[in-house]
């Protein structure tokens, strides 16, 4: 399902795709994934324009809703048709929230359901969408922001044949360091920031203890 509209400097088409909840069981339960295709005004008919898939940070962050040709889109739309993807569980895609999880049963069933909302499933959604929009032989580029950067790395691992280029703005996994190493290095800095704050605003100490309690 698709609908087209215009805003200053851009034309956009809204897409809703039916995708499997579990890509290993494509005939099973289906969910919806929403995406907004954005192109510069005057280039809507340019079928050779390269595609750029944008993967938002989060997890849980929907893609932006541009009101015109601004921000990073100002440059990207010079030579790309951009697809702003609401990753499964976010934005106008089928939600995964406290309210929807409650209908899935107990903790085990909820955990099994949430296991289908990881980066691997997001990448498989993207590949299915690429095939439907571009055809199987045409590649696109991907821009990953924060968590979207980790999704981009997953894309490069699972389906590199679908990608022409990969751009990452944050969200790169360490080659020799784990997440625990990063947090461990941050602890002294957090302590120092807290001590500096309380030295300046000593009245906040009791307030923070109450909040933590």
């Amino acid at each position: 399902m698709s609908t087209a509209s215009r805003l200053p400097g851009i034309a956009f088409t809204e897409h809703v795709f039916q995708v499997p909840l579990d890509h290993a069981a494509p005939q099973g339960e289906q969910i919806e994934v929403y995406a907004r295709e954005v192109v510069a005004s005057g280039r809507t008919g340019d079928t050779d324009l390269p595609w750029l898939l944008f993967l938002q940070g989060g997890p849980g962050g929907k893609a932006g809703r541009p009101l015109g040709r601004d921000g990073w889109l100002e440059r990207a739309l010079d030579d790309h048709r951009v697809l702003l993807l609401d990753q499964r569980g976010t934005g106008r895609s089928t939600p995964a929230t406290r309210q929807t999880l409650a209908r899935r049963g107990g903790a085990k069933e909820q955990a099994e359901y949430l296991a289908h909302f990881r980066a691997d499933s997001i990448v498989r959604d993207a590949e299915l969408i690429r095939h439907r929009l571009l055809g199987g032989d045409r590649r696109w580029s991907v821009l990953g922001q924060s968590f979207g950067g980790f999704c981009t790395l997953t894309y490069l691992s699972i389906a590199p044949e679908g990608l022409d280029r990969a751009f990452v703005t944050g969200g790169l996994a360490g080659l020799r360091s784990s997440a625990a190493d990063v947090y461990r290095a941050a602890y002294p800095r957090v302590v120092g920031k807290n001590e500096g704050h309380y030295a300046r605003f000593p009245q906040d100490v009791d307030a923070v203890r109450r909040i933590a309690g």
Side-chain angles (χ1 to χ4, degrees):
M1 182 178 71
S2 303
T3 57
S5 302
R6 289 183 179 273
L7 285 169
I10 62 172
F12 66 91
T13 304
E14 297 180 292
H15 300 279
V16 178
F17 302 94
Q18 297 288 326
V19 302
L21 171 66
D22 181 357
H23 283 275
Q27 304 307 315
E29 180 179 350
Q30 303 289 299
I31 61 174
E32 290 186 345
V33 171
Y34 170 86
R36 179 171 291 196
E37 173 190 340
V38 184
V39 64
S41 295
R43 303 196 70 180
T44 55
D46 189 350
T47 58
D48 293 327
L49 201 59
W51 283 76
L52 176 66
L53 169 69
F54 178 65
L55 297 175
Q56 175 64 41
K62 66 182 180 182
R65 304 290 192 259
L67 298 177
R69 186 168 173 169
D70 53 19
W72 62 270
L73 282 173
E74 176 68 33
R75 175 63 185 87
L77 292 176
D78 282 348
D79 41 27
H80 288 92
R81 185 182 300 270
V82 176
L83 191 70
L84 304 172
L85 181 69
D86 280 2
Q87 299 161 22
R88 54 168 57 202
T90 75
R92 289 174 57 182
S93 297
T94 298
T97 64
R98 176 171 56 84
Q99 291 80 11
T100 61
L101 279 176
R103 299 195 290 267
R104 291 284 164 173
K108 180 176 182 295
E109 291 77 16
Q110 292 180 22
E112 290 173 349
Y113 179 72
L114 284 175
H116 298 302
F117 289 80
R118 301 176 305 200
D120 55 339
S121 294
I122 293 169
V123 168
R124 290 187 172 93
D125 289 344
E127 272 296 273
L128 187 151
I129 291 168
R130 181 180 67 86
H131 278 259
R132 292 182 185 175
L133 287 180
L134 284 68
D137 296 331
R138 190 174 176 189
R139 299 182 177 195
W140 60 11
S141 297
V142 60
L143 169 60
Q145 152 64 18
S146 191
F147 172 70
F150 289 103
C151 291
T152 299
L153 296 183
T154 302
Y155 211 140
L156 289 166
S157 298
I158 292 178
E161 69 279 2
L163 297 179
D164 182 42
R165 294 178 175 87
F167 305 98
V168 175
T169 58
L172 276 173
L175 295 178
R176 297 182 179 86
S177 301
S178 68
D181 295 326
V182 175
Y183 285 122
R184 196 173 295 114
Y187 295 152
R189 298 182 64 184
V190 173
V191 170
K193 290 287 186 180
N194 285 345
E195 289 175 344
H197 178 88
Y198 294 143
R200 187 174 181 183
F201 304 104
Q203 69 275 15
D204 286 357
V205 174
D206 289 339
V208 171
R209 283 176 177 164
R210 286 197 304 271
I211 292 168

